[in-house]
Amino acid sequence: MSLTTPRSTALRTTAALAAAALALTACGSGGPSGAAGAAGPSAADDKIPTADVVSGVRKDPSAAKLLPADVRARGSLSLATSVGTPPGAAYLADGKTLAGQDIDFADAVGKVLGLKIDREVASFEAILPALGSGKYDVGTGNFGVTDERRKAIDFVTYINDGQGFAVRKDSPLKKVGSLRQLCGLTVATGAGTTFEATLEENRQRCTEAGKKPYDVKTYAEQGALWISLQQGRTDVVMSTINGLRYAVRQQPGLRFLNEFKRLDVGFAFKKGTPLAPAVQAAVNHLKKDGTYERILKKWGTGPSALKTSRISPPEIR
């Protein structure tokens, strides 16, 4: 199935994505926490915003007072972050420097609380189990707050994102209002994500409707996911709303389809963490001092703004 863009443009785009994926996988694999997810489209180019919107943030003593005594004493938080497609977190062109909405929010929270952020790159699917084992204090990775996750993880919300779809421009799909519209297609999504869980839980709907079930292809690396769509090995991508909107702006021949479901997104912690009240206070402080809006403006994610940060709210239905 050909793209609506010229074949030469599509091939150049695919080659560039493959090179970026390989380069960024190499950058992430040497860390102590294991391989990071490769950055997606344009993750290693100069289109990623680099404006400094965090360095001016000042400590808020009232928020810092809510920290557990041992954390105040050591003066740092160990944070695991998943590196995928912008605007969440990605590498800049040097292959070392991280940038993204998750990076800015974590750094800003650290400044409000007067803590150093000891950041370690980890694969998306490894972070939540590692929090439970106590390896890290906090994790970021555009983690959607679901009722299932809340059984084992505490969250402090900072944005609202959710689930959506993207396709090639030549796709007959116009809008996905029901997963039955995907019957017979091949869907690409990230491994260990809420998208994978949603797709697997609803696959039987196609059979019940007398249709061929959709096929789910999962990818640990975002670069590989987008290449699969460009090359026609998959028909549609299910991923984060913000990530999809960003990705299709960077790649010819693709289009954002629609939002499917909204979810609050939060910093993730071990269940029962005493850190949640302090981090919640820090996020709400960023709302008051204007940093919150500056971060969203930088990454073009204004519609993801929350009125207030909450601790482990119920899943949005």
PDB file of all heavy atoms in Angstrom, residues 216-246:
ATOM      1  N   VAL A 216      -2.382  -7.493  17.225  1.00  0.00           N
ATOM      2  CA  VAL A 216      -1.655  -6.490  18.006  1.00  0.00           C
ATOM      3  C   VAL A 216      -0.154  -6.758  17.920  1.00  0.00           C
ATOM      4  O   VAL A 216       0.310  -7.845  18.259  1.00  0.00           O
ATOM      5  CB  VAL A 216      -2.092  -6.507  19.484  1.00  0.00           C
ATOM      6  CG1 VAL A 216      -1.325  -5.444  20.273  1.00  0.00           C
ATOM      7  CG2 VAL A 216      -3.589  -6.273  19.599  1.00  0.00           C
ATOM      8  N   LYS A 217       0.594  -5.774  17.451  1.00  0.00           N
ATOM      9  CA  LYS A 217       2.053  -5.853  17.402  1.00  0.00           C
ATOM     10  C   LYS A 217       2.616  -4.863  18.415  1.00  0.00           C
ATOM     11  O   LYS A 217       2.336  -3.659  18.339  1.00  0.00           O
ATOM     12  CB  LYS A 217       2.580  -5.494  16.003  1.00  0.00           C
ATOM     13  CG  LYS A 217       2.103  -6.422  14.891  1.00  0.00           C
ATOM     14  CD  LYS A 217       2.734  -7.803  15.017  1.00  0.00           C
ATOM     15  CE  LYS A 217       2.369  -8.668  13.817  1.00  0.00           C
ATOM     16  NZ  LYS A 217       2.889 -10.051  13.962  1.00  0.00           N
ATOM     17  N   THR A 218       3.379  -5.368  19.387  1.00  0.00           N
ATOM     18  CA  THR A 218       3.942  -4.479  20.410  1.00  0.00           C
ATOM     19  C   THR A 218       5.418  -4.224  20.155  1.00  0.00           C
ATOM     20  O   THR A 218       6.143  -5.098  19.671  1.00  0.00           O
ATOM     21  CB  THR A 218       3.763  -5.073  21.814  1.00  0.00           C
ATOM     22  OG1 THR A 218       4.420  -6.339  21.886  1.00  0.00           O
ATOM     23  CG2 THR A 218       2.292  -5.241  22.140  1.00  0.00           C
ATOM     24  N   TYR A 219       5.846  -3.023  20.505  1.00  0.00           N
ATOM     25  CA  TYR A 219       7.233  -2.599  20.279  1.00  0.00           C
ATOM     26  C   TYR A 219       7.766  -1.932  21.543  1.00  0.00           C
ATOM     27  O   TYR A 219       7.110  -1.069  22.133  1.00  0.00           O
ATOM     28  CB  TYR A 219       7.308  -1.605  19.116  1.00  0.00           C
ATOM     29  CG  TYR A 219       6.867  -2.188  17.796  1.00  0.00           C
ATOM     30  CD1 TYR A 219       5.522  -2.187  17.439  1.00  0.00           C
ATOM     31  CD2 TYR A 219       7.791  -2.751  16.913  1.00  0.00           C
ATOM     32  CE1 TYR A 219       5.109  -2.727  16.223  1.00  0.00           C
ATOM     33  CE2 TYR A 219       7.385  -3.287  15.701  1.00  0.00           C
ATOM     34  CZ  TYR A 219       6.048  -3.276  15.357  1.00  0.00           C
ATOM     35  OH  TYR A 219       5.635  -3.812  14.166  1.00  0.00           O
ATOM     36  N   ALA A 220       8.963  -2.337  21.946  1.00  0.00           N
ATOM     37  CA  ALA A 220       9.624  -1.695  23.084  1.00  0.00           C
ATOM     38  C   ALA A 220      10.257  -0.381  22.655  1.00  0.00           C
ATOM     39  O   ALA A 220      10.485   0.507  23.482  1.00  0.00           O
ATOM     40  CB  ALA A 220      10.684  -2.619  23.674  1.00  0.00           C
ATOM     41  N   GLU A 221      10.548  -0.239  21.369  1.00  0.00           N
ATOM     42  CA  GLU A 221      11.206   0.957  20.847  1.00  0.00           C
ATOM     43  C   GLU A 221      10.238   1.725  19.956  1.00  0.00           C
ATOM     44  O   GLU A 221       9.696   1.186  18.988  1.00  0.00           O
ATOM     45  CB  GLU A 221      12.458   0.571  20.060  1.00  0.00           C
ATOM     46  CG  GLU A 221      13.501  -0.144  20.902  1.00  0.00           C
ATOM     47  CD  GLU A 221      14.676  -0.630  20.056  1.00  0.00           C
ATOM     48  OE1 GLU A 221      14.632  -0.429  18.828  1.00  0.00           O
ATOM     49  OE2 GLU A 221      15.613  -1.194  20.636  1.00  0.00           O
ATOM     50  N   GLN A 222      10.037   2.994  20.268  1.00  0.00           N
ATOM     51  CA  GLN A 222       9.105   3.809  19.509  1.00  0.00           C
ATOM     52  C   GLN A 222       9.533   3.991  18.059  1.00  0.00           C
ATOM     53  O   GLN A 222       8.687   4.074  17.154  1.00  0.00           O
ATOM     54  CB  GLN A 222       8.949   5.169  20.183  1.00  0.00           C
ATOM     55  CG  GLN A 222       8.196   5.126  21.489  1.00  0.00           C
ATOM     56  CD  GLN A 222       6.742   4.763  21.306  1.00  0.00           C
ATOM     57  OE1 GLN A 222       6.026   5.397  20.543  1.00  0.00           O
ATOM     58  NE2 GLN A 222       6.294   3.731  21.998  1.00  0.00           N
ATOM     59  N   GLY A 223      10.840   4.054  17.814  1.00  0.00           N
ATOM     60  CA  GLY A 223      11.318   4.195  16.444  1.00  0.00           C
ATOM     61  C   GLY A 223      10.854   3.043  15.574  1.00  0.00           C
ATOM     62  O   GLY A 223      10.403   3.236  14.440  1.00  0.00           O
ATOM     63  N   ALA A 224      10.928   1.831  16.108  1.00  0.00           N
ATOM     64  CA  ALA A 224      10.504   0.644  15.360  1.00  0.00           C
ATOM     65  C   ALA A 224       8.999   0.655  15.123  1.00  0.00           C
ATOM     66  O   ALA A 224       8.520   0.209  14.070  1.00  0.00           O
ATOM     67  CB  ALA A 224      10.916  -0.617  16.106  1.00  0.00           C
ATOM     68  N   LEU A 225       8.252   1.158  16.079  1.00  0.00           N
ATOM     69  CA  LEU A 225       6.798   1.238  15.947  1.00  0.00           C
ATOM     70  C   LEU A 225       6.419   2.101  14.748  1.00  0.00           C
ATOM     71  O   LEU A 225       5.587   1.715  13.915  1.00  0.00           O
ATOM     72  CB  LEU A 225       6.212   1.787  17.239  1.00  0.00           C
ATOM     73  CG  LEU A 225       4.701   1.942  17.368  1.00  0.00           C
ATOM     74  CD1 LEU A 225       4.296   1.853  18.831  1.00  0.00           C
ATOM     75  CD2 LEU A 225       4.225   3.277  16.815  1.00  0.00           C
ATOM     76  N   TRP A 226       7.031   3.283  14.643  1.00  0.00           N
ATOM     77  CA  TRP A 226       6.691   4.187  13.548  1.00  0.00           C
ATOM     78  C   TRP A 226       7.178   3.670  12.207  1.00  0.00           C
ATOM     79  O   TRP A 226       6.527   3.871  11.172  1.00  0.00           O
ATOM     80  CB  TRP A 226       7.237   5.582  13.835  1.00  0.00           C
ATOM     81  CG  TRP A 226       6.477   6.246  14.933  1.00  0.00           C
ATOM     82  CD1 TRP A 226       6.896   6.474  16.218  1.00  0.00           C
ATOM     83  CD2 TRP A 226       5.137   6.724  14.867  1.00  0.00           C
ATOM     84  NE1 TRP A 226       5.902   7.063  16.949  1.00  0.00           N
ATOM     85  CE2 TRP A 226       4.808   7.236  16.150  1.00  0.00           C
ATOM     86  CE3 TRP A 226       4.172   6.775  13.852  1.00  0.00           C
ATOM     87  CZ2 TRP A 226       3.565   7.781  16.432  1.00  0.00           C
ATOM     88  CZ3 TRP A 226       2.940   7.323  14.141  1.00  0.00           C
ATOM     89  CH2 TRP A 226       2.642   7.823  15.410  1.00  0.00           C
ATOM     90  N   ILE A 227       8.319   3.000  12.204  1.00  0.00           N
ATOM     91  CA  ILE A 227       8.804   2.403  10.960  1.00  0.00           C
ATOM     92  C   ILE A 227       7.817   1.356  10.456  1.00  0.00           C
ATOM     93  O   ILE A 227       7.545   1.250   9.254  1.00  0.00           O
ATOM     94  CB  ILE A 227      10.201   1.786  11.167  1.00  0.00           C
ATOM     95  CG1 ILE A 227      11.241   2.892  11.389  1.00  0.00           C
ATOM     96  CG2 ILE A 227      10.607   0.930   9.961  1.00  0.00           C
ATOM     97  CD1 ILE A 227      12.583   2.386  11.840  1.00  0.00           C
ATOM     98  N   SER A 228       7.252   0.577  11.379  1.00  0.00           N
ATOM     99  CA  SER A 228       6.297  -0.462  10.979  1.00  0.00           C
ATOM    100  C   SER A 228       5.080   0.155  10.288  1.00  0.00           C
ATOM    101  O   SER A 228       4.544  -0.413   9.332  1.00  0.00           O
ATOM    102  CB  SER A 228       5.857  -1.287  12.202  1.00  0.00           C
ATOM    103  OG  SER A 228       4.911  -0.585  12.998  1.00  0.00           O
ATOM    104  N   LEU A 229       4.638   1.318  10.763  1.00  0.00           N
ATOM    105  CA  LEU A 229       3.497   1.983  10.144  1.00  0.00           C
ATOM    106  C   LEU A 229       3.877   2.554   8.777  1.00  0.00           C
ATOM    107  O   LEU A 229       3.155   2.380   7.791  1.00  0.00           O
ATOM    108  CB  LEU A 229       2.977   3.095  11.051  1.00  0.00           C
ATOM    109  CG  LEU A 229       1.735   3.843  10.534  1.00  0.00           C
ATOM    110  CD1 LEU A 229       0.532   2.909  10.445  1.00  0.00           C
ATOM    111  CD2 LEU A 229       1.409   5.040  11.429  1.00  0.00           C
ATOM    112  N   GLN A 230       5.018   3.217   8.712  1.00  0.00           N
ATOM    113  CA  GLN A 230       5.468   3.804   7.451  1.00  0.00           C
ATOM    114  C   GLN A 230       5.644   2.746   6.367  1.00  0.00           C
ATOM    115  O   GLN A 230       5.329   2.969   5.202  1.00  0.00           O
ATOM    116  CB  GLN A 230       6.797   4.554   7.668  1.00  0.00           C
ATOM    117  CG  GLN A 230       6.676   5.851   8.431  1.00  0.00           C
ATOM    118  CD  GLN A 230       6.282   7.022   7.538  1.00  0.00           C
ATOM    119  OE1 GLN A 230       5.774   6.842   6.440  1.00  0.00           O
ATOM    120  NE2 GLN A 230       6.522   8.242   8.018  1.00  0.00           N
ATOM    121  N   GLN A 231       6.152   1.583   6.748  1.00  0.00           N
ATOM    122  CA  GLN A 231       6.429   0.532   5.779  1.00  0.00           C
ATOM    123  C   GLN A 231       5.213  -0.330   5.462  1.00  0.00           C
ATOM    124  O   GLN A 231       5.285  -1.222   4.627  1.00  0.00           O
ATOM    125  CB  GLN A 231       7.568  -0.353   6.286  1.00  0.00           C
ATOM    126  CG  GLN A 231       8.914   0.355   6.333  1.00  0.00           C
ATOM    127  CD  GLN A 231      10.034  -0.565   6.782  1.00  0.00           C
ATOM    128  OE1 GLN A 231       9.794  -1.597   7.414  1.00  0.00           O
ATOM    129  NE2 GLN A 231      11.258  -0.196   6.458  1.00  0.00           N
ATOM    130  N   GLY A 232       4.091  -0.087   6.117  1.00  0.00           N
ATOM    131  CA  GLY A 232       2.879  -0.827   5.830  1.00  0.00           C
ATOM    132  C   GLY A 232       2.779  -2.169   6.512  1.00  0.00           C
ATOM    133  O   GLY A 232       1.879  -2.962   6.205  1.00  0.00           O
ATOM    134  N   ARG A 233       3.667  -2.448   7.473  1.00  0.00           N
ATOM    135  CA  ARG A 233       3.579  -3.720   8.207  1.00  0.00           C
ATOM    136  C   ARG A 233       2.512  -3.658   9.292  1.00  0.00           C
ATOM    137  O   ARG A 233       2.086  -4.689   9.802  1.00  0.00           O
ATOM    138  CB  ARG A 233       4.946  -4.072   8.798  1.00  0.00           C
ATOM    139  CG  ARG A 233       5.971  -4.464   7.733  1.00  0.00           C
ATOM    140  CD  ARG A 233       7.307  -4.893   8.319  1.00  0.00           C
ATOM    141  NE  ARG A 233       8.101  -3.748   8.725  1.00  0.00           N
ATOM    142  CZ  ARG A 233       8.365  -3.406   9.974  1.00  0.00           C
ATOM    143  NH1 ARG A 233       7.860  -4.117  10.973  1.00  0.00           N
ATOM    144  NH2 ARG A 233       9.115  -2.360  10.259  1.00  0.00           N
ATOM    145  N   THR A 234       2.118  -2.458   9.661  1.00  0.00           N
ATOM    146  CA  THR A 234       0.975  -2.265  10.553  1.00  0.00           C
ATOM    147  C   THR A 234       0.071  -1.207   9.927  1.00  0.00           C
ATOM    148  O   THR A 234       0.510  -0.417   9.075  1.00  0.00           O
ATOM    149  CB  THR A 234       1.407  -1.825  11.968  1.00  0.00           C
ATOM    150  OG1 THR A 234       2.230  -0.656  11.866  1.00  0.00           O
ATOM    151  CG2 THR A 234       2.187  -2.934  12.664  1.00  0.00           C
ATOM    152  N   ASP A 235      -1.187  -1.191  10.346  1.00  0.00           N
ATOM    153  CA  ASP A 235      -2.176  -0.304   9.735  1.00  0.00           C
ATOM    154  C   ASP A 235      -2.496   0.931  10.558  1.00  0.00           C
ATOM    155  O   ASP A 235      -2.925   1.953  10.013  1.00  0.00           O
ATOM    156  CB  ASP A 235      -3.486  -1.077   9.507  1.00  0.00           C
ATOM    157  CG  ASP A 235      -3.296  -2.296   8.640  1.00  0.00           C
ATOM    158  OD1 ASP A 235      -2.860  -2.143   7.490  1.00  0.00           O
ATOM    159  OD2 ASP A 235      -3.577  -3.412   9.130  1.00  0.00           O
ATOM    160  N   VAL A 236      -2.322   0.842  11.859  1.00  0.00           N
ATOM    161  CA  VAL A 236      -2.710   1.932  12.748  1.00  0.00           C
ATOM    162  C   VAL A 236      -1.865   1.859  14.010  1.00  0.00           C
ATOM    163  O   VAL A 236      -1.477   0.770  14.449  1.00  0.00           O
ATOM    164  CB  VAL A 236      -4.230   1.855  13.070  1.00  0.00           C
ATOM    165  CG1 VAL A 236      -4.581   0.518  13.691  1.00  0.00           C
ATOM    166  CG2 VAL A 236      -4.667   3.004  13.973  1.00  0.00           C
ATOM    167  N   VAL A 237      -1.561   3.012  14.585  1.00  0.00           N
ATOM    168  CA  VAL A 237      -0.816   3.090  15.842  1.00  0.00           C
ATOM    169  C   VAL A 237      -1.750   3.578  16.931  1.00  0.00           C
ATOM    170  O   VAL A 237      -2.495   4.546  16.744  1.00  0.00           O
ATOM    171  CB  VAL A 237       0.388   4.053  15.721  1.00  0.00           C
ATOM    172  CG1 VAL A 237       0.983   4.346  17.101  1.00  0.00           C
ATOM    173  CG2 VAL A 237       1.457   3.462  14.820  1.00  0.00           C
ATOM    174  N   MET A 238      -1.712   2.902  18.076  1.00  0.00           N
ATOM    175  CA  MET A 238      -2.427   3.363  19.260  1.00  0.00           C
ATOM    176  C   MET A 238      -1.391   3.790  20.288  1.00  0.00           C
ATOM    177  O   MET A 238      -0.508   3.006  20.661  1.00  0.00           O
ATOM    178  CB  MET A 238      -3.314   2.255  19.834  1.00  0.00           C
ATOM    179  CG  MET A 238      -4.208   2.720  20.982  1.00  0.00           C
ATOM    180  SD  MET A 238      -5.294   1.387  21.569  1.00  0.00           S
ATOM    181  CE  MET A 238      -6.365   2.297  22.692  1.00  0.00           C
ATOM    182  N   SER A 239      -1.482   5.043  20.724  1.00  0.00           N
ATOM    183  CA  SER A 239      -0.467   5.558  21.646  1.00  0.00           C
ATOM    184  C   SER A 239      -1.042   6.764  22.386  1.00  0.00           C
ATOM    185  O   SER A 239      -2.257   6.979  22.406  1.00  0.00           O
ATOM    186  CB  SER A 239       0.806   5.929  20.873  1.00  0.00           C
ATOM    187  OG  SER A 239       1.865   6.219  21.771  1.00  0.00           O
ATOM    188  N   THR A 240      -0.158   7.550  23.007  1.00  0.00           N
ATOM    189  CA  THR A 240      -0.604   8.720  23.758  1.00  0.00           C
ATOM    190  C   THR A 240      -1.074   9.812  22.809  1.00  0.00           C
ATOM    191  O   THR A 240      -0.521   9.999  21.725  1.00  0.00           O
ATOM    192  CB  THR A 240       0.518   9.285  24.639  1.00  0.00           C
ATOM    193  OG1 THR A 240       1.551   9.819  23.806  1.00  0.00           O
ATOM    194  CG2 THR A 240       1.083   8.219  25.552  1.00  0.00           C
ATOM    195  N   ILE A 241      -2.068  10.559  23.224  1.00  0.00           N
ATOM    196  CA  ILE A 241      -2.599  11.641  22.399  1.00  0.00           C
ATOM    197  C   ILE A 241      -1.511  12.660  22.087  1.00  0.00           C
ATOM    198  O   ILE A 241      -1.300  13.042  20.930  1.00  0.00           O
ATOM    199  CB  ILE A 241      -3.790  12.308  23.113  1.00  0.00           C
ATOM    200  CG1 ILE A 241      -4.948  11.317  23.247  1.00  0.00           C
ATOM    201  CG2 ILE A 241      -4.234  13.569  22.377  1.00  0.00           C
ATOM    202  CD1 ILE A 241      -6.037  11.764  24.200  1.00  0.00           C
ATOM    203  N   ASN A 242      -0.790  13.096  23.117  1.00  0.00           N
ATOM    204  CA  ASN A 242       0.261  14.102  22.905  1.00  0.00           C
ATOM    205  C   ASN A 242       1.387  13.562  22.043  1.00  0.00           C
ATOM    206  O   ASN A 242       1.911  14.257  21.170  1.00  0.00           O
ATOM    207  CB  ASN A 242       0.812  14.572  24.253  1.00  0.00           C
ATOM    208  CG  ASN A 242      -0.169  15.462  25.003  1.00  0.00           C
ATOM    209  OD1 ASN A 242      -1.036  16.087  24.410  1.00  0.00           O
ATOM    210  ND2 ASN A 242      -0.032  15.519  26.316  1.00  0.00           N
ATOM    211  N   GLY A 243       1.777  12.310  22.282  1.00  0.00           N
ATOM    212  CA  GLY A 243       2.851  11.720  21.497  1.00  0.00           C
ATOM    213  C   GLY A 243       2.482  11.559  20.035  1.00  0.00           C
ATOM    214  O   GLY A 243       3.298  11.801  19.140  1.00  0.00           O
ATOM    215  N   LEU A 244       1.240  11.163  19.769  1.00  0.00           N
ATOM    216  CA  LEU A 244       0.787  11.000  18.393  1.00  0.00           C
ATOM    217  C   LEU A 244       0.748  12.340  17.667  1.00  0.00           C
ATOM    218  O   LEU A 244       1.199  12.446  16.519  1.00  0.00           O
ATOM    219  CB  LEU A 244      -0.608  10.370  18.375  1.00  0.00           C
ATOM    220  CG  LEU A 244      -0.708   8.908  18.823  1.00  0.00           C
ATOM    221  CD1 LEU A 244      -2.174   8.502  18.941  1.00  0.00           C
ATOM    222  CD2 LEU A 244       0.018   7.982  17.853  1.00  0.00           C
ATOM    223  N   ARG A 245       0.209  13.344  18.319  1.00  0.00           N
ATOM    224  CA  ARG A 245       0.132  14.658  17.673  1.00  0.00           C
ATOM    225  C   ARG A 245       1.530  15.181  17.328  1.00  0.00           C
ATOM    226  O   ARG A 245       1.744  15.756  16.258  1.00  0.00           O
ATOM    227  CB  ARG A 245      -0.588  15.661  18.585  1.00  0.00           C
ATOM    228  CG  ARG A 245      -2.088  15.402  18.736  1.00  0.00           C
ATOM    229  CD  ARG A 245      -2.737  16.546  19.500  1.00  0.00           C
ATOM    230  NE  ARG A 245      -4.136  16.308  19.792  1.00  0.00           N
ATOM    231  CZ  ARG A 245      -5.149  16.502  18.950  1.00  0.00           C
ATOM    232  NH1 ARG A 245      -4.891  16.930  17.732  1.00  0.00           N
ATOM    233  NH2 ARG A 245      -6.396  16.275  19.317  1.00  0.00           N
ATOM    234  N   TYR A 246       2.460  14.984  18.249  1.00  0.00           N
ATOM    235  CA  TYR A 246       3.827  15.428  17.994  1.00  0.00           C
ATOM    236  C   TYR A 246       4.445  14.647  16.841  1.00  0.00           C
ATOM    237  O   TYR A 246       5.048  15.209  15.935  1.00  0.00           O
ATOM    238  CB  TYR A 246       4.685  15.255  19.253  1.00  0.00           C
ATOM    239  CG  TYR A 246       6.085  15.825  19.117  1.00  0.00           C
ATOM    240  CD1 TYR A 246       6.390  17.086  19.613  1.00  0.00           C
ATOM    241  CD2 TYR A 246       7.099  15.101  18.490  1.00  0.00           C
ATOM    242  CE1 TYR A 246       7.663  17.615  19.480  1.00  0.00           C
ATOM    243  CE2 TYR A 246       8.375  15.620  18.351  1.00  0.00           C
ATOM    244  CZ  TYR A 246       8.649  16.874  18.846  1.00  0.00           C
ATOM    245  OH  TYR A 246       9.911  17.402  18.706  1.00  0.00           O
TER     246      TYR A 246
END
